Amino acid sequence: MSEIYLKDLIGILIGCSEISAEIAKKIREDETLLELLVEEKKGDTKNPRFRHDFKSLADVLIQEVIKYHVARNISSLSDRIYGEESNVFRNRSGSSVAITMDGDIGATASALASVLDCEVSLGNRLAEIAYSEPICDESQTNEVHAKAGNSKIDASRLGIWIDPIDSTSQYIRSRDDSADISVRLGLTSVTILIGVFSLDTGYPVLGVVNQPFASEPRVFWGYNGPDLKINNVSKTTTNERAVICSSSEFETIRERLTNWDVSHFPGCGYKVLSVIRGSARFFLLTKASSFCWDTCAGHAILLSQGGGVVKFGDLVTYRSNDRDELASQLESLQVRYYEKNLTLSGINQYSNQKGILVYADSSDVFSIYSLLRGNL
């Protein structure tokens, strides 16, 4: 057993997300530079939903930042921090460069400068940010300490999923002067996701979601423990009929949602965050195009609020017309994060193969179940 104070773990993860946000904004400052720092994913590393899938230097560096700082502060977690991205990046000359953080700021700066085509000063600055201490500001610290108190958690039984830049395509493409509103406003959908899950149950335990490009950059967190459920979210319900589904959702599904105000926008993390914050009742994705790193962080926050993320495929095959009976089965229907599908290869092993229904209120689960059961 390796018990640590819950408030310390939350503080470290918030601090890591803030360092990550600063890196994301620093790289995004120069759009010409950004275009040089994008690599297209191929083969098993590519999300099959997209014709083209990309990663940026920000994705790679942020993932290494979180791994480094968490492992340095909580050594028992060091070999159970998982992420979407490889740490190898190919520069313009075609050379592969491994971005690593092992305490040697000079070596990290040198690797970054190599990716940056010898932009030494920027490489040094990014390395300085990456190695800065992961700390919360005073208001964040006070809130975390007040809510978490002296509760402890066994870090030896935890794992972490990271999505360093969720909605990477929007991070790359968004332009303030674009005529296309989805391109112009796309940066709002960019999130940094850090999700902690239990190795014993697979259920999410703690989530941190950082929204670095919102009009007021925000960090949301939530803890879902057996005896304590806490978060920092102030929910604001603006439209009781607002729901979210993917623009690529099956037509048969969209036809069944005609009585709802359906929205489509990018970023799985941002869609989940919309449910967390109360701007949507639920988010439905029936395809296997979301992954552990997309949903773990937000799922933990939702569970701390009384919501959740269930496997859509299991939900619609459940056989009951009793609302209370279905409610009693919601725990068993939740997405779990230690499960790996060995029949698939590459990142598909970690996909939510049965689709997901993200909800804030369990009553909505029965509504969707009744609406869609038998119509797929």
Side-chain angles (χ1 to χ4, degrees), residues 131-149:
Y131 280 98
S132 58
E133 284 297 313
I135 57 176
C136 301
D137 64 30
E138 185 177 359
S139 63
Q140 288 172 327
T141 299
N142 290 341
E143 181 176 33
V144 170
H145 283 216
K147 292 184 175 181

Side-chain angles (χ1 to χ4, degrees), residues 171-226:
Y171 178 71
I172 295 165
R173 295 174 55 239
S174 292
R175 301 289 184 273
D176 291 339
D177 58 352
S178 174
D180 183 341
I181 191 169
S182 67
V183 173
R184 187 168 70 249
L185 301 180
L187 278 176
T188 303
S189 70
V190 173
T191 52
I192 296 161
L193 309 173
I194 309 173
V196 182
F197 65 94
S198 165
L199 295 177
D200 298 316
T201 66
Y203 293 126
V205 173
L206 172 63
V208 172
V209 178
N210 194 306
Q211 196 180 11
F213 297 101
S215 55
E216 294 181 9
R218 294 173 289 232
V219 182
F220 303 93
W221 60 267
Y223 171 68
N224 168 51

Side-chain angles (χ1 to χ4, degrees), residues 39-43 45-47 53-55 84-85:
E39 176 182 320
E40 184 169 2
K41 298 180 187 179
K42 302 291 186 181
T45 66
K46 175 180 175 291
N47 186 333
D53 194 12
F54 298 91
K55 70 177 179 181
E84 177 182 6
E85 310 297 352

Side-chain angles (χ1 to χ4, degrees), residues 103-149:
D104 187 341
I105 189 170
T108 302
S110 178
L112 289 168
S114 178
V115 171
L116 294 162
D117 288 337
C118 298
E119 286 278 351
V120 176
S121 61
L122 181 54
N124 288 338
R125 178 61 186 137
L126 287 173
E128 288 172 7
I129 297 171
Y131 280 98
S132 58
E133 284 297 313
I135 57 176
C136 301
D137 64 30
E138 185 177 359
S139 63
Q140 288 172 327
T141 299
N142 290 341
E143 181 176 33
V144 170
H145 283 216
K147 292 184 175 181

